């Protein structure tokens, strides 16, 4: 999937107070318009329904407002050069987790907490573009009122659950949108344009919560006030000139966030990626009609998974397990759904004949 754009925004002037007021009013109006279905009630039905619906709508609105109150102090705006993104306070020592494409090549940043106006300085701890994640750290003690976010359990994320996206879309810090988890387990690839890293990321959460440039690195949270993901990518629709595809966004799951961030905080870098590798370099092969038909092995890593399985330079990989391989990107996406140590069938063409071997995958 290559029509995905990172959600970093260019720096914008601060919004007028009137605009902010309109945004808040619209948010609250949307919240109050999502009642649960009420239980069956005795006659008179019309009178009872009118009494029950507003109470349930108010309950859901209160849930939204409680989540915002609990989580917004953990969400920050990150200025990296002339670009803006979002981040989440990771611990009490001032570590902030965000996207690698938000920090880009910068080493120092200005960070503004949603509940404060005065920015503070921060420096890069480490960036891990392979999963589009990075950790920065505030210089000095964290400002008063800033608190670490509460991170949830990725295994409990379910399609249909209500979520809120918090961040700084288009530079509007402290913004909140709502939607649902539309799907889980998506493997998506990020564009290299617009500051993207080109990463292929597995197990992403698809959400209908509107996310826009500047939301990258922010928080996707459930109604228990727990972060379940980091909004990272928005789908674009090539049929409308590459504009945003409404209601289709993707967030890195909390399990991946914690795996990467914990290692960066502890070691200053990622030591165990958890990403499977076939240990080759390759290129996409085209047929006579210029259609991609496989991946030609250009180099085999000494002692790696491919060499141990018997693959050679010049072999053309056409399948990995059940996945058809036509391009380098499709190979990366197939590997993203596997783990180091997994044994997988590799189908390839050598000297005009289709063959297959079993390979035990290595680690990037």
């Amino acid at each position: 999937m290559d029509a995905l754009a990172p959600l970093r925004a260019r720096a914008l002037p601060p919004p007028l107070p009137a605009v902010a007021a309109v945004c808040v009013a619209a948010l609250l109006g949307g919240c109050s318009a999502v009642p649960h279905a009420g239980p069956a009630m005795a006659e008179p039905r019309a009178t009872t329904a009118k009494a029950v619906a507003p109470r349930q709508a108010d309950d859901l609105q209160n849930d939204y407002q409680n989540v915002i109150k609990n989580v917004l102090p953990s969400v920050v705006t990150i200025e990296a050069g002339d670009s803006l993104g979002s981040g989440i306070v990771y611990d009490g020592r001032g570590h902030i987790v965000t996207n690698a494409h938000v920090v880009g090549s910068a080493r120092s940043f200005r960070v503004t907490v949603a509940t404060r106006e005065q920015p503070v300085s921060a420096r890069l701890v480490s960036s891990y573009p392979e999963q589009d994640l990075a950790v920065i750290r505030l210089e000095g003690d964290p400002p008063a009122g800033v608190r670490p976010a509460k991170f949830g359990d990725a295994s409990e994320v379910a399609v249909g659950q209500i979520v809120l996206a918090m961040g700084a879309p288009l530079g509007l810090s402290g913004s909140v949108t709502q939607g649902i988890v539309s799907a889980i387990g998506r493997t998506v690839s990020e564009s290299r344009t617009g500051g993207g890293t080109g990463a292929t990321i597995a197990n992403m959460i698809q959400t209908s919560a509107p996310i826009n440039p500047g939301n990258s690195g922010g928080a996707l949270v459930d109604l228990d006030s727990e972060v379940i993901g980091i909004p990272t990518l928005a789908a674009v629709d090539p049929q409308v000139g590459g504009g945003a595809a409404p209601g289709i966004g993707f967030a890195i799951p909390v399990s991946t966030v914690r795996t990467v961030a914990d290692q960066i905080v502890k070691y200053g870098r990622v030591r165990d990626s958890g990403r499977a590798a076939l240990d080759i370099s390759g290129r996409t092969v085209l047929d006579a009609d210029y259609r991609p038909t496989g991946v030609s092995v250009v180099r085999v890593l000494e002692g790696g998974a491919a060499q141990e399985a018997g693959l050679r330079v010049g072999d053309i990989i056409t399948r990995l397990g059940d996945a058809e391989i036509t391009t380098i990107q499709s190979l990366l996406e197939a590997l993203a759904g596997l783990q180091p140590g997994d044994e997988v069938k590799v189908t390839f063409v050598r000297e005009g004949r289709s063959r297959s071997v079993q390979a035990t995958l290595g680690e990037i």
Side-chain angles (χ1 to χ4, degrees), residues 6-9 71-78 84-90 96-103 111-112 114 132-134 136 149-151 163-170 172-177 204-205 207 209-222 226-233 250-254 257-258:
L7 302 172
R8 182 172 60 177
V71 181
L72 211 53
S74 305
V75 179
V76 303
T77 301
I78 300 172
L84 291 174
S86 304
I88 306 171
V89 180
Y90 196 67
I96 293 169
V97 63
T98 184
N99 284 129
H101 76 257
V102 168
V103 303
V111 174
T112 305
D132 199 0
L133 290 169
I136 66 176
K150 183 179 178 182
F151 289 82
V163 289
L164 303 181
M166 301 186 190
L170 304 179
L172 299 169
S173 63
S175 294
V176 183
T177 56
M204 293 192 81
I205 300 167
T207 179
I211 50 179
N212 294 284
N215 267 120
S216 278
L220 187 71
V221 301
D222 61 21
E226 294 182 339
V227 176
I228 62 169
I230 288 184
T232 300
L233 301 169
F250 298 91
I252 300 174
V254 65
V257 173
R258 298 184 74 166

Side-chain angles (χ1 to χ4, degrees), residues 60-93:
L60 185 56
Q61 177 171 291
N62 289 337
D63 287 343
Y64 286 3
Q65 292 174 331
N66 286 334
V67 172
I68 293 167
K69 180 180 178 180
N70 292 335
V71 181
L72 211 53
S74 305
V75 179
V76 303
T77 301
I78 300 172
E79 297 178 52
D82 62 349
S83 296
L84 291 174
S86 304
I88 306 171
V89 180
Y90 196 67
D91 60 26
R93 295 184 290 160

